Amino acid sequence: MFPRLLTFVVVTLMGMGCATAYASISSTVDAQGYLREPFFLIPLGYVFLLAGLGGIVFTLLRAAILRLVEPHPNS
């Protein structure tokens, strides 16, 4: 369970990194009047956050259910 959970934690941190990168990279307007900003980081960050948090919840729920269903070896 731990390697899978660690993977989802890393994916969640990547989503937070995308949000941080978007906030720290400044938007500029070029000579032709076009806005230049790293817009792709917004949906990418949401996808990472959704996948990571969903995976964490799924992994923890699965572990809890399996712990309830399977008998303890010392019983």
Side-chain angles (χ1 to χ4, degrees), residues 66-75:
L66 288 177
R67 186 173 293 177
L68 290 174
V69 172
E70 293 179 359
H72 195 278
N74 294 333
S75 298

Side-chain angles (χ1 to χ4, degrees), residues 1-14 48-49 51-64 67:
M1 179 178 106
F2 183 70
R4 181 177 298 161
L5 190 62
L6 183 62
T7 301
F8 289 128
V9 168
V10 169
V11 171
T12 303
L13 290 175
M14 288 170 54
F48 282 144
L49 281 174
L53 293 176
I56 289 171
V57 168
F58 176 76
T59 302
L60 293 177
L61 283 176
R62 182 175 177 262
R67 186 173 293 177

